[in-house]
Amino acid sequence: MSTIPLYTRYQFRETIRIPMAALGTLAFPTLFMLLFVVSNRSVSGNTAAATEAAGQMSLFAVISAFVFNLGAGVAEDRAKTWHAYLRTLPAGPMAQLGGRVCNALCFALLSLVPVGLAAMLLTEAEASVIELGTTLFALILAGVPFAFLGLTVGYSMPLKAAIPTVQLILFPLAFAGGLFLPPSLFPDWLDATSNVLPTRAARELVLGALTGGGPPLTALSIAVGWTVALGTLAVFTFRRDEGRRFR
Amino acid sequence: MTRYQARAIGASRRFGSLNALDGIDLDISAGEILGLLGPNGAGKTTLLNLLTGLRAPDSGRVELFGGDPRQPRNRQRLGTTPQETGLPDTLRVAEIVEFVAKHYPKPLPVDELLERFGLSELAREQAGSLSGGQQRRLSAALAFAGDPGLVVLDEPTTGLDVAARDSLWEALRHHNRRGTTVLLTSHYLAEVEALAERIVVMDRGRVLADGPQREIKSRVRTSTVTVRGELPELPGVVRSELRDGAHRLLTHDSDRLVRDLVRSGVDFEDLTVTGTSLEEAFTALTSTGNRTDETAGRRA
């Protein structure tokens, strides 16, 4: 277990030195924050709307860090002979996997910095320290099914397929889940579809924490359902990959 | 304590319909340098993968320091190298060595290791900016980071220039004198000949020959007769080739070949008889003509 911090440290160092990888994680949420929220006075000038939008963008930042880091990261690991070499060292397979997950978590937290700063400095968004604390907790928890999604993609396809797949899943899911525009602007059919999506459930949980409203039970059960389903899929793809390469 | 650093006991491994390893028995004793030879697809890498815990045998057993190599704690005295171009590009040389060293209970000091492999000057360079030869040197150095009891090197000289190869060989000898057991595979047969005391020849997932270098060579007992001239058909020639205008004839009985050559009455010059190089012994052992019937039968 003591090897997980070691792996996290080196993987983080390895990733952060690739400018596009580091920038990609930070740039998208920041860009969207500026584009959808800050530049739109009717949102950024209104405390309730700005707070909601900042919550949505924070969730998007966390989700994209998880999905990109784990999806592309694991697919890349699998393609490199270096990672087979690491398996001959006196550390188990969990060291690499644990390091990957912690690395993704670091990037998720890092990506919250510019979004939070923009919300604080450039909009009328407001939240108490306690609300921010519970929101951070909710963000990480709500991000878990997306970590599983990332792992599933990473363990089931090569890098060249993993990156477009992640993009193809992430952006429509984020939009339909109400992470770019609030669902109150959705037509009825989209709102109805949106309600069963993991992104929408995660959004409701995060906004519940941010506005002090507490977790809505329907969203919570949908989120748990997605977590179990995607978790099962991730374990299945991990085991299948292990079986192919290391049995 | 077991006296074997690593063992395979009737180890078999299939990949689909391919019998990569077919009931291999191999003991690697402490302190020896063992050269594993065989053509591509012989099963060398599969055997190394079993011994280093990357794969499990379908049947039979493998042991590393008396335990299952699949258990991380049994790999604490094992050193291996990553394959070529497998290093993390953005990490610095010293960082990579340090990272690997931190897996082991009693690693070698990083500076000492870098010095020994001529990497001190490159310590701050990112691995991606190294030349192919420098990357290979770094890869080889990693095998020694944990001050291992057994070092396993798969084709360690691929892509090395002569100087780098010599310093790798020197490092191997140095660590071997200090008690490290070395298991290596190579296509550069002459080099294994210079290093390995014991040689195991593999083909098609089986051990064809296993013994001291001298014995392996005498087992095939071939000599090379080199001669210039218009030669008649001669009996007892295993293989012949024309190199630089001279015939090189591989034979099991050079005395008889020379007698036959003299009796034939043809003009010839520059006759030399030389002993077998390992390369020739190896060719003779693995060429189809010298296969045992059993091996040939298995192919069908």
Side-chain angles (χ1 to χ4, degrees):
Chain A
M1 276 300 137
S2 66
T3 43
I4 290 179
L6 177 70
Y7 276 76
T8 309
R9 209 159 57 238
Y10 277 85
Q11 278 175 355
F12 185 77
R13 212 178 271 178
E14 197 184 336
T15 320
I16 203 84
R17 285 195 192 143
I18 305 166
M20 277 318 291
L23 217 69
T25 307
L26 303 181
F28 272 130
T30 314
L31 198 70
F32 287 172
M33 183 73 191
L34 296 175
L35 220 64
F36 288 100
V37 185
V38 175
S39 66
N40 186 348
R41 273 319 290 173
S42 68
V43 178
S44 64
N46 176 310
T47 299
T51 308
E52 192 182 68
Q56 290 169 178
M57 275 305 150
S58 301
L59 180 61
F60 175 70
V62 169
I63 290 177
S64 77
F66 276 164
V67 185
F68 270 110
N69 255 282
L70 294 173
V74 167
E76 196 185 355
D77 283 356
R78 288 170 56 241
K80 279 190 173 172
T81 54
W82 174 250
H83 294 269
Y85 163 72
L86 294 182
R87 294 291 290 262
T88 69
L89 300 177
M94 284 305 137
Q96 271 190 66
L97 178 55
R100 266 282 152 227
V101 172
C102 292
N103 183 36
L105 189 61
C106 290
F107 272 94
L109 294 176
L110 208 61
S111 70
L112 285 176
V113 174
V115 176
L117 281 179
M120 228 161 50
L121 302 175
L122 305 174
T123 78
E124 298 295 319
E126 259 177 29
S128 70
V129 176
I130 295 174
E131 282 164 351
L132 284 179
T134 40
T135 303
L136 189 61
F137 183 68
L139 280 169
I140 304 304
L141 222 56
V144 171
F146 300 96
F148 286 138
L149 177 65
L151 290 172
T152 301
V153 171
Y155 280 113
S156 59
M157 57 188 80
L159 182 60
K160 277 190 176 150
I163 290 174
T165 303
V166 163
Q167 286 167 333
L168 222 56
I169 295 174
L170 178 66
F171 291 107
L173 213 54
F175 180 82
L179 303 190
F180 298 150
L181 295 172
S184 53
L185 300 177
F186 284 177
D188 287 345
W189 65 268
L190 184 56
D191 192 40
T193 321
S194 174
N195 272 314
V196 298
L197 295 178
T199 33
R200 177 69 180 270
R203 175 189 181 274
E204 303 308 328
L205 293 181
V206 169
L207 291 187
L210 186 58
T211 56
L217 289 180
T218 328
L220 189 62
S221 48
I222 290 175
V224 169
W226 277 105
T227 308
V228 171
L230 290 167
T232 311
L233 206 57
V235 170
F236 171 76
T237 51
F238 171 73
R239 289 218 177 128
R240 192 182 55 170
D241 178 64
E242 282 282 302
R244 280 181 186 160
R245 298 192 304 143
F246 299 111
R247 284 288 138 76
Chain B
M1 271 306 277
T2 168
R3 64 197 187 88
Y4 298 116
Q5 306 282 64
R7 300 181 81 177
I9 304 137
S12 295
R13 175 69 207 216
R14 302 182 67 87
F15 292 104
S17 63
L18 176 75
N19 230 354
L21 283 184
D22 191 4
I24 287 264
D25 289 305
L26 187 71
D27 298 329
I28 300 164
S29 305
E32 67 179 346
I33 300 183
L34 194 160
L36 191 57
L37 298 179
N40 282 332
K44 302 186 301 286
T45 302
T46 305
L47 178 59
L48 296 196
N49 286 345
L50 295 191
L51 292 173
T52 57
L54 281 177
R55 298 268 188 188
D58 295 328
S59 64
R61 235 170 58 228
V62 285
E63 283 178 8
L64 187 66
F65 301 108
D68 180 0
R70 310 266 298 162
Q71 294 294 323
R73 70 189 143 81
N74 292 322
R75 299 196 296 264
Q76 285 190 351
R77 298 188 56 224
L78 171 73
T80 66
T81 53
Q83 284 169 32
E84 71 277 13
T85 70
L87 298 161
D89 287 344
T90 57
L91 292 184
R92 302 182 203 287
V93 170
E95 287 172 346
I96 293 174
V97 174
E98 226 171 74
F99 172 65
V100 171
K102 279 184 176 149
H103 285 79
Y104 293 92
K106 281 184 217 148
L108 290 181
V110 171
D111 292 341
E112 189 188 314
L113 193 69
L114 292 176
E115 182 71 45
R116 178 159 300 284
F117 284 86
L119 293 165
S120 299
E121 309 278 296
L122 302 167
R124 301 267 314 146
E125 298 287 322
Q126 292 191 345
S129 69
L130 302 182
S131 73
Q134 291 166 337
Q135 289 190 347
R136 291 301 312 168
R137 246 189 293 160
L138 173 56
S139 295
L142 293 179
F144 296 92
D147 197 12
L150 170 67
V151 164
V152 173
L153 304 164
D154 198 5
E155 310 275 348
T157 53
T158 309
L160 284 191
D161 56 39
V162 177
R165 189 197 69 208
D166 287 348
S167 70
L168 171 62
W169 264 199
E170 195 36 55
L172 285 178
R173 285 199 191 94
H174 167 82
H175 285 277
N176 180 248
R177 279 194 298 272
R178 295 178 56 214
T180 304
T181 310
V182 178
L183 168 61
L184 74 150
T185 70
S186 180
H187 280 156
Y188 298 90
L189 305 179
E191 295 173 354
V192 174
E193 195 171 21
L195 201 69
E197 301 133 10
R198 179 181 161 205
I199 287 174
V200 171
V201 182
M202 280 183 74
D203 191 26
R204 289 169 200 276
R206 313 195 69 170
V207 171
L208 292 185
D210 176 357
Q213 194 193 118
R214 189 172 21 85
E215 193 186 303
I216 296 292
K217 284 200 270 180
S218 74
R219 253 188 75 167
V220 272
R221 214 183 287 283
T222 46
S223 312
T224 302
V225 175
T226 312
V227 62
R228 287 177 194 276
E230 291 286 323
L231 299 190
E233 196 70 34
L234 290 165
V237 174
V238 176
R239 201 168 50 114
S240 83
E241 58 181 15
L242 201 60
R243 197 186 291 172
D244 301 328
H247 296 276
R248 284 170 54 83
L249 309 171
L250 200 69
T251 176
H252 289 285
D253 188 346
S254 53
D255 300 331
R256 194 182 134 206
L257 183 68
V258 172
R259 275 197 301 274
D260 287 342
L261 183 60
V262 172
R263 260 190 224 120
S264 73
V266 297
D267 260 350
F268 64 85
E269 53 188 355
D270 291 345
L271 176 85
T272 56
V273 179
T274 50
T276 323
S277 76
L278 184 58
E279 182 142 24
E280 286 160 330
F282 171 72
T283 311
L285 265 172
T286 57
S287 65
T288 353
N290 285 275
R291 258 181 232 292
T292 60
D293 288 336
E294 190 198 353
T295 321
R298 251 184 346 100
R299 289 164 63 199

